[in-house]
Amino acid sequence: CKRRVAKSTSKDGRSSGAEARKLMKDLVRLMNNCEYSDPIVEFVDCLCVKFDFEGAQTKLAECENLLKTDFFLCKRTALFMEEARVFVFENYCRIHDKVDLSVLATKLAMDQEAAEHWIVDLIRNALLDAKIDSEKGCVVMGPGADSRSVYEQVMGKTRDLNLRSASLAQNLKNFVADVKKQTAKRERAAMEEE
């Protein structure tokens, strides 16, 4: 497990969202086949298998304590905590369109002000399509965050593609008809002149 943590937190180990999800699926599958357990394994289990955000919050705090005292991973504690918070945040926001800042801060094992600054940084770095409503004290997920399933997204794009293709074909047909009319008109005009 320590190798997986080290790999997931290594700077050159950073990967795209799809690769990260694949790595997480591999980690969950590996965890299901082993008897070993520690706060990191339990954190991933709470978040990815049980979808227990309260349990994940508790385990995240335990992970921080464990990593700080681990000889091999102590230098990666801050990076692990950052990536774990992003992971919790992404999973939580998949379920909710609007999230109260105080609740989010609790889920991320941060105080509210630190959580707000952290989210602002995510928004600034274009890692998050959201805005903070300071009056209501909540994060509102942006309109670009598509909550439809992948199937619905593909079907919508396919439908749009079919409409655009039909429109393009009709425009091309009208253009060819206009060109033929103009050509026929010129030919008639040329014959009348002779």
Side-chain angles (χ1 to χ4, degrees):
C1 183
K2 288 185 180 183
R3 277 191 248 152
R4 287 284 183 175
V5 171
K7 172 68 176 161
S8 67
T9 59
S10 67
K11 291 194 187 244
D12 58 323
R14 283 194 173 198
S15 54
S16 70
E19 290 171 351
R21 281 188 290 278
K22 184 182 181 309
L23 180 63
M24 192 55 65
K25 285 180 184 177
D26 291 344
L27 182 60
V28 169
R29 189 173 48 250
L30 180 70
M31 285 176 12
N32 288 334
N33 296 328
C34 76
E35 300 294 320
Y36 180 77
S37 183
D38 69 6
I40 297 168
V41 171
E42 292 168 1
F43 167 74
V44 173
D45 184 56
C46 283
L47 199 57
C48 297
V49 178
K50 298 176 184 171
F51 298 100
D52 176 13
F53 292 100
E54 284 75 26
Q57 167 197 348
T58 304
K59 295 302 172 187
L60 187 58
E62 290 176 24
C63 287
E64 185 172 23
N65 293 333
L66 173 77
L67 291 171
K68 284 180 179 177
T69 59
D70 187 282
F71 179 77
F72 297 104
L73 298 174
C74 63
K75 292 181 181 177
R76 303 264 186 210
T77 302
L79 182 58
F80 177 85
M81 293 302 291
E82 176 71 16
E83 295 297 326
R85 286 180 176 128
V86 169
F87 192 57
V88 169
F89 187 73
E90 286 175 348
N91 282 318
Y92 198 75
C93 289
R94 281 187 188 141
I95 299 169
H96 304 87
D97 292 328
K98 193 176 193 179
V99 182
D100 186 73
L101 274 172
S102 60
V103 171
L104 188 59
T106 305
K107 302 278 182 230
L108 298 173
M110 300 170 86
D111 63 77
Q112 187 169 344
E113 187 175 323
E116 187 172 349
H117 288 296
W118 183 76
I119 293 166
V120 167
D121 288 340
L122 281 179
I123 293 169
R124 279 189 191 138
N125 296 329
L127 297 175
L128 177 65
D129 185 15
K131 61 182 177 180
I132 295 178
D133 187 343
S134 297
E135 293 175 5
K136 295 180 182 175
C138 64
V139 178
V140 180
M141 300 312 293
D146 200 344
S147 61
R148 299 179 301 163
S149 70
V150 173
Y151 173 77
E152 290 170 330
Q153 292 175 31
V154 169
M155 291 304 295
K157 290 184 187 243
T158 303
R159 191 176 323 109
D160 292 344
L161 183 61
N162 287 336
L163 290 172
R164 281 190 259 148
S165 297
S167 176
L168 183 61
Q170 185 61 41
N171 289 341
L172 183 61
K173 189 176 183 181
N174 292 342
F175 178 74
V176 169
D178 287 343
V179 169
K180 284 182 180 179
K181 284 180 187 177
Q182 289 176 359
T183 304
K185 219 182 218 184
R186 277 190 242 131
E187 287 176 358
R188 272 186 265 139
M191 285 187 172
E192 287 176 6
E193 287 181 5
E194 293 177 0

